[in-house]
Structures are given as structure tokens and as C-alpha cells.
Amino acid sequence: MANRSLLIIGTALLFFTNLCQAEVISITDPSYEVANAPSGIVRPTRGMTMVQVKEQFGEPDTIRPAVGQPPITRWEYAKFEVVFEYDKVIHSVVVK
């Protein structure tokens, strides 16, 4: 009887260990998409104000008007775009 119990427990452990495995996926970033690194495109960071962005990066090529509530504004530069909520950067992305 003890051997049968051990067999059942062993089989169950083997079954459950297969369920507990995880797959690791590694995706490499092309160097032109690395934010604010010497090998990437330096762009505004979260929390910067519109004034700070203009001082550091100059006037944008295009300013899209604010939409929605809270107001979201988008500034377009040659290599990146900056998204503001009110007057603070919430996101910046590299334009391909």
C-alpha cells in the first residue's frame, strides 16, 4: 500500500513540475531606440515642463493642439515626438 501511495505522489509531482515551468523571451533593442543613451536618440524625459523641453531641444517642428480632458498636447520633432498632459511630459517616442 505504501508503494502505491509513493507511486501516486511521484506521478503527481512529475505532472505538477511540468506545469510550473516558465518560458523566458529575450528581445534585443536596436541601438537607435535606446532612450537617452549615447547610442540612442536623446529625448525629453517624463516630468519635464514645456519650457524645459523648448530650452533643451528648441522649438518643435509641429505643435498639435490639446485634445480631451485632461488636455493632451503633442509636439513633433524630426527624430521624436513628445506627449504632454497639461504642461508636463508624460511620454516621448522615437519616430522611425
Side-chain angles (χ1 to χ4, degrees):
M1 188 61 135
N3 287 339
R4 186 173 178 181
S5 296
L6 287 176
L7 182 61
I8 292 172
I9 291 172
T11 305
L13 284 174
L14 282 175
F15 175 75
F16 287 118
T17 55
N18 286 337
L19 293 178
C20 297
Q21 293 179 356
E23 183 176 347
V24 176
I25 299 174
S26 175
I27 301 173
T28 58
D29 251 350
S31 63
Y32 61 85
E33 290 183 353
V34 177
N36 299 325
S39 62
I41 296 173
V42 178
R43 58 187 194 264
T45 56
R46 182 183 298 264
M48 291 178 73
T49 65
M50 288 180 170
V51 172
Q52 291 171 324
V53 172
K54 277 187 182 177
E55 287 174 355
Q56 187 171 346
F57 298 96
E59 289 289 326
D61 299 333
T62 306
I63 297 177
R64 301 290 177 188
V67 295
Q69 189 58 27
I72 303 295
T73 307
R74 186 168 45 114
W75 289 4
E76 298 173 353
Y77 289 85
K79 294 184 178 182
F80 58 87
E81 293 183 4
V82 186
V83 180
F84 297 91
E85 181 178 304
Y86 294 105
D87 72 328
K88 301 271 197 257
V89 173
I90 58 171
H91 200 59
S92 64
V93 294
V94 174
V95 177
K96 288 188 181 183

